Amino acid sequence: MRMSYSERKKAFFLKKFPAYSVVLFLLVLFSAIWAPRLIYLSELDRLSEDTVSSPAFRRQEVGASALEHIRSLERPGEYLAVYWLENGFGSEPDIDSPEEIESKRKRWERLDDWSPYLRACQAVWDDLAYFPVADCKDKDLSVTFENSWMFERSYNGDRVHEGTDLMPSVNERERFPIVSMTDGVVEQMGWLELGGWRIGIRAPHGGYFYYAHLSSYADLEVGDTVRAGDFLGYMGDTGYSTKEGTTGKFPVHLHLGIYLNTDTGEEISVNPYPALKYTEENKISFKGFHTL
């Protein structure tokens, strides 16, 4: 049977350049086998001993659909641990299906750095229960907040904002009751130049929740145990001075910070804004509290 022109041309080419066809075949085979493997290995590089202290992790970025899903979870820390690794800490599309998360968790939990990373996620998320500003008797009162993570600040030298400010609808002290977002132990109380009258709660999974600029305290002492929703004090405007009791340097507001102690002994701050969005629909009712 006589070959067509195209068949003759192909036969001539293969006879003339047999090595070329072999090389081409090997390149195609290599791409099919190793390209997915290389992508997989590059994704695994997202988890290392430095992941927890990285800017990407500290931003705590959670997409709207994932945020809505985790509200149904009692302890969302493990879900978010996988979620962030899979979506490149917010740089790729959300993965929010519980089935997807569960199947993908298995490839991460085999890595040596999984356990400390998981503990860090749980320290921020697994103790959260209430929004830090209780519902007031006056229903016209409200608070707003924005993602002010790493905004510039200038008091006492240039620095960045390692927290979220919750701003009240009226600029008055002793109007907005502050409650603990978590169970925990009172670890710090008293005056700080930047934070004014502040209180720090160490939650069960190790997260440190920092409430600053209070105008007064609840009847608490360092070492006391608190439950989520317990009254801590009233929102105020204290701080920005070494003189205790200084007020009026800025509007009344609550500064919320969240801190972690890493396995390397470093203390880091993480962005509280997503945690506030997670709890903003869960406010405890104001009942009237005793202050010091």
Side-chain angles (χ1 to χ4, degrees):
M1 181 181 293
R2 187 177 181 181
M3 291 191 297
S4 67
Y5 173 77
S6 60
E7 289 173 330
R8 292 198 307 273
K9 185 176 179 181
K10 182 178 180 181
F12 172 81
F13 186 82
L14 292 175
K15 182 178 180 180
K16 192 76 173 176
F17 304 104
Y20 175 85
S21 60
V22 173
V23 171
L24 182 61
F25 171 78
L26 291 175
L27 285 174
V28 172
L29 182 64
F30 177 85
S31 298
I33 295 174
W34 284 102
R37 179 65 177 171
L38 292 174
I39 293 172
Y40 174 79
L41 291 174
S42 68
E43 290 176 342
L44 292 186
D45 285 343
R46 293 172 179 173
L47 181 57
S48 72
E49 63 181 356
D50 299 320
T51 297
V52 171
S53 57
S54 69
F57 174 79
R58 293 175 63 198
R59 280 196 301 271
Q60 300 280 290
E61 189 170 320
V62 182
S65 58
L67 185 65
E68 188 62 30
H69 172 68
I70 63 174
R71 288 198 177 107
S72 67
L73 302 179
E74 183 177 351
R75 294 182 176 176
E78 185 169 311
Y79 176 96
L80 289 172
V82 179
Y83 165 83
W84 281 318
L85 292 171
E86 288 293 330
N87 78 353
F89 295 94
S91 64
E92 299 172 14
D94 278 1
I95 296 177
D96 53 10
S97 160
E99 293 76 21
E100 270 191 284
I101 291 291
E102 178 59 27
S103 67
K104 292 179 180 297
R105 177 180 60 83
K106 297 175 182 178
R107 72 167 175 169
W108 298 106
E109 66 182 3
R110 293 193 293 265
L111 301 182
D112 291 340
D113 296 303
W114 168 254
S115 291
Y117 166 73
L118 175 61
R119 285 196 296 272
C121 296
Q122 292 171 328
V124 177
W125 289 90
D126 280 5
D127 297 312
L128 292 171
Y130 291 108
F131 193 71
V133 183
D135 265 342
C136 302
K137 292 178 180 178
D138 186 344
K139 294 301 181 181
D140 292 332
L141 299 180
S142 61
V143 295
T144 58
F145 58 98
E146 64 175 7
N147 192 354
S148 57
W149 178 248
M150 292 295 155
F151 280 18
E152 293 183 356
R153 294 290 188 268
S154 58
Y155 175 79
N156 207 18
D158 292 339
R159 54 191 177 84
V160 292
H161 191 231
E162 294 189 334
T164 298
D165 290 335
L166 293 93
M167 309 303 298
S169 55
V170 294
N171 187 39
E172 295 180 17
R173 308 178 191 111
E174 300 289 304
R175 291 293 299 276
F176 293 84
I178 306 305
V179 300
S180 182
M181 300 179 76
T182 68
D183 293 347
V185 175
V186 178
E187 193 167 281
Q188 298 286 344
M189 287 183 71
W191 185 264
L192 284 180
E193 180 180 355
L194 289 178
W197 298 119
R198 81 1 177 144
I199 186 166
I201 308 294
R202 184 71 64 182
H205 282 86
Y208 180 78
F209 290 76
Y210 170 80
Y211 309 82
H213 309 310
L214 303 182
S215 60
S216 59
Y217 285 126
D219 188 6
L220 291 169
E221 297 179 353
V222 171
D224 284 353
T225 298
V226 297
R227 302 287 293 176
D230 281 357
F231 176 60
L232 302 179
Y234 280 103
M235 188 185 294
D237 58 347
T238 58
Y240 278 24
S241 174
T242 56
K243 182 180 179 182
E244 291 190 8
T246 297
T247 60
K249 298 285 188 176
F250 42 74
V252 169
H253 70 282
L254 172 69
H255 170 95
L256 175 70
I258 302 178
Y259 295 84
L260 302 175
N261 291 321
T262 68
D263 279 20
T264 61
E266 178 186 13
E267 183 183 69
I268 61 168
S269 58
V270 298
N271 187 4
Y273 179 79
L276 287 166
K277 294 297 289 183
Y278 169 72
T279 57
E280 69 177 336
E281 296 178 3
N282 197 19
K283 298 178 182 178
I284 197 164
S285 298
F286 174 84
K287 296 178 181 179
F289 304 103
H290 174 66
T291 62
L292 295 177

